[in-house]
Amino acid sequence: MIKYTLINNARMVLVLLIGAMAGLNACDSAFLDPFENGDRYYTIYGFIDASEFQHSVRVIPVTRFREIINHPSEDQGSIDAVVTSTDLLTGTVTRWVHSVELLDDGTYGHIFRAKFLVRPGRTYRLEVLRSDGITATAETTVPRFPVTVPDPPTLFFPYESSPDSAGFSREIYVPDIASPWDMIITYDLQGTFVRLPYGRPGFRTDDGGWRFTIDMGADAPRMRDIMEIAPGAPLPLLHAILLQIRALDANWDPPNGVFDPEILAQPGTLSNVVNGYGLWGSVALYQYTWIAPPGAGN
């Protein structure tokens, strides 16, 4: 059974957003009358991921009937659609494979899957083709990360390299990442790696980067909890800090920078689909590691 997100990988970080949007078929707002919506033929939800090889997209035909499939044998269990994606740089076309899959609300959905490598910086076009030639399309350009390192290029590690050092925090600027979805800070404590979810702190800068703060003092109690170290007991010395950012393409940029699934789930609020509804985007993983300078902790 898959979630509304269409993704069977628990490491996906867009679960909440895609889940709300793709779950529209269980709500009254999912009913879209084609005679009232002009040239809108399909609703599309999904994304491609530069960190994955298999990708999924959900396709819902816009009809006068509610798109709730209680069993694959029902009329709604078939779909008049051929789904392909094209790498616009190379012209390579991939045909996606259709299946009717059980969703976690007990109904079924039309899921298309494909396996291919997603290249950062390239633009991909998804096309949903009906037998009469009608198409709905969407394009996404996968985030590409520059060789420019975050500012500051090296973190200031306290002399004793202890995560408990009072007041240790540093504002970080990451260039050319305008819309992160999620951040992970991993501390290397003498070979023990402590992974802390950071969420989406900070703000976008005028030049299209992102600025936020790493606060080791605030993180130290969380490290103790994970490592099961008693409050007040010393933590191992710090060797390195790894930054991981799940970055979104421009299509995912929410209104006013706020990710509210209930708002984004409404048809037309955030969409890049031509002749349809929904959103098809892409994500990529950015990583950078700061290493403690030689001699620190001695």
Side-chain angles (χ1 to χ4, degrees):
M1 183 168 63
I2 65 171
K3 293 185 177 296
Y4 297 132
T5 56
L6 322 179
I7 301 300
N8 59 4
N9 189 326
R11 294 186 298 111
M12 292 294 107
V13 295
L14 302 179
V15 168
L16 186 60
L17 177 58
I18 294 291
M21 294 195 293
L24 282 175
N25 71 326
C27 306
D28 290 340
S29 61
F31 177 69
L32 301 172
D33 190 333
F35 295 95
E36 295 179 355
N37 289 280
D39 298 331
R40 309 280 187 166
Y41 304 102
Y42 295 99
T43 301
I44 301 169
Y45 294 116
F47 59 94
I48 52 178
D49 187 336
S51 301
E52 301 292 332
F53 183 65
Q54 178 169 285
H55 315 280
S56 305
V57 64
R58 183 178 180 184
V59 178
I60 305 171
V62 177
T63 71
R64 293 188 66 88
F65 304 97
R66 288 177 58 87
E67 184 57 25
I68 295 180
I69 307 173
N70 293 309
H71 193 275
S73 63
E74 297 178 351
D75 290 342
Q76 294 96 325
S78 63
I79 186 172
D80 181 5
V82 173
V83 176
T84 59
S85 60
T86 304
D87 181 332
L88 297 187
L89 178 65
T90 65
T92 301
V93 178
T94 300
R95 180 161 176 166
W96 295 51
V97 178
H98 171 250
S99 62
V100 181
E101 301 187 20
L102 184 63
L103 308 177
D104 63 1
D105 68 344
T107 65
Y108 291 80
H110 295 289
I111 312 301
F112 291 81
R113 299 184 184 276
K115 295 181 179 181
F116 59 94
L117 291 176
V118 173
R119 304 292 187 181
R122 293 191 187 178
T123 300
Y124 296 81
R125 177 187 295 135
L126 188 79
E127 180 176 276
V128 182
L129 173 65
R130 209 165 67 180
S131 59
D132 60 2
I134 292 294
T135 62
T137 62
E139 292 187 6
T140 178
T141 299
V142 184
R144 170 187 285 171
F145 304 119
V147 295
T148 306
V149 301
D151 179 27
T154 57
L155 280 176
F156 171 74
F157 285 81
Y159 174 75
E160 64 272 22
S161 290
S162 170
D164 293 307
S165 299
F168 177 77
S169 67
R170 179 57 60 92
E171 187 175 77
I172 305 297
Y173 168 72
V174 185
D176 297 324
I177 293 184
S179 188
W181 171 265
D182 187 54
M183 299 183 193
I184 300 290
I185 300 295
T186 300
Y187 291 98
D188 176 0
L189 304 177
Q190 290 186 320
T192 298
F193 296 91
V194 183
R195 188 171 181 267
L196 300 182
Y198 249 60
R200 194 175 189 259
F203 57 92
R204 178 182 306 157
T205 59
D206 292 340
D207 59 358
W210 195 263
R211 191 174 294 278
F212 72 103
T213 299
I214 292 179
D215 189 340
M216 187 182 296
D219 290 342
R222 300 168 65 192
M223 297 184 213
R224 283 191 176 84
D225 288 342
I226 293 173
M227 300 179 70
E228 299 182 345
I229 295 177
L235 285 164
L237 297 181
L238 176 67
H239 285 179
I241 299 175
L242 169 64
L243 166 67
Q244 295 174 297
I245 299 178
R246 201 76 151 164
L248 313 174
D249 74 18
N251 294 326
W252 293 93
D253 193 18
N256 301 317
V258 177
F259 280 92
D260 185 335
E262 293 186 2
I263 295 176
L264 299 179
Q266 301 306 311
T269 301
L270 184 64
S271 179
N272 65 332
V273 179
V274 178
N275 293 337
Y277 297 97
L279 187 128
W280 188 66
S282 58
V283 298
L285 181 65
Y286 173 85
Q287 299 185 96
Y288 187 80
T289 301
W290 292 278
I291 304 296
N298 294 331

